[in-house]
Structures are given as structure tokens and as C-alpha cells.
């Protein structure tokens, strides 16, 4: 493949996108299984890095621009966070579960769950 990469950022992005298109055209269809898809994305990223260099490949794959093809770059795994502490045993009272959550200050619903999950 072409070893000359344009200096202009727009031309460089188009060049890398063109190289990615050539690589994807020579490969089989992207698998639907998550594990196989991760391996496929890794091999696409390696082929693109070999073709245009790792810095130029990161421009397209890591940029998340409109030229990236169906999330070609594998997502980096987030750092493992400690498991949340188990909830205390509910007290026997006449209050409903929603009122108990509101009394703890966590609130209900999705945002309350996030607040409790991250200890906020």
C-alpha cells in the first residue's frame, strides 16, 4: 500500500479511510458474535496500522469521526471498579420500598440506582 501519507489533516483522514475501505473489502463480513467481532476489529486495526502507521490509524479509528466504519476499533475495557457493598437488610416497617429509598437520599429510578452504584 501507499507509504506516502498526506500532511494535511483532512487529506490524511481521507487517505486512511481509503486504506481502511481497501482492507475491509479484502476481508470477510464483520461477524455478529461479540468475541469474533472483537478479534476481527483487532485484525483490521493491525492491518491498518501496518498499512499507514499507528499514528495515522489512530486518527481514523480512535477519532470516532464519521469516516469510521461500524466501530472498527475495539473498545478499551474500563478499569475494574470495586464491587458495591451489599445493601443492608431492610428494616421491618410500614414504609414502602420507594419511601425507604427516598429516605436514604438515593431516590428511585435510574439516576438513584447510579447514585447508589457509585456511592454518591
Amino acid at each position: 500500500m501507499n507509504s506516502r501519507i498526506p500532511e494535511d489533516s483532512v487529506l490524511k483522514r481521507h487517505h486512511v479511510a481509503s486504506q481502511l475501505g481497501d482492507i475491509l473489502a479484502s476481508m470477510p463480513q464483520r461477524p455478529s458474535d461479540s468475541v469474533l467481532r472483537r478479534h476481527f476489529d483487532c485484525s483490521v486495526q493491525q492491518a491498518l496500522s501496518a498499512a499507514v502507521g499507528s499514528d495515522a490509524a489512530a486518527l481514523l479509528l480512535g477519532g470516532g469521526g464519521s469516516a469510521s466504519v461500524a466501530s472498527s476499533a475495539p473498545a478499551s475495557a474500563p478499569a475494574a471498579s470495586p464491587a458495591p457493598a451489599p445493601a443492608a437488610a431492610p428494616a421491618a416497617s410500614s414504609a414502602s420500598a420507594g419511601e425507604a429509598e427516598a429516605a436514604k437520599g438515593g431516590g428511585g429510578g435510574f439516576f438513584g440506582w447510579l447514585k447508589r452504584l457509585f456511592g454518591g
Side-chain angles (χ1 to χ4, degrees):
M1 301 201 183
N2 192 359
S3 63
R4 285 190 40 119
I5 300 172
E7 293 294 320
D8 182 54
S9 63
V10 173
L11 294 175
K12 185 185 292 186
R13 187 171 58 239
H14 286 286
H15 174 75
V16 173
S18 171
Q19 295 295 322
L20 178 63
D22 293 343
I23 290 168
L24 289 174
S26 67
M27 298 184 90
Q29 185 177 3
R30 191 169 187 245
S32 59
D33 179 63
S34 63
V35 174
L36 295 175
R37 188 172 50 237
R38 187 173 61 230
H39 291 291
F40 177 85
D41 291 343
C42 222
S43 65
V44 168
Q45 186 176 16
Q46 286 177 343
L48 186 62
S49 293
V52 296
S54 60
D55 293 339
L59 171 76
L60 182 64
L61 296 177
S66 61
S68 63
V69 177
S71 174
S72 293
S76 60
S81 61
S93 68
S94 62
S96 70
E99 291 171 352
E101 288 296 324
K104 285 197 305 188
F110 179 70
F111 292 109
W113 175 79
L114 282 175
K115 196 172 187 182
R116 288 187 304 276
L117 179 66
F118 293 110

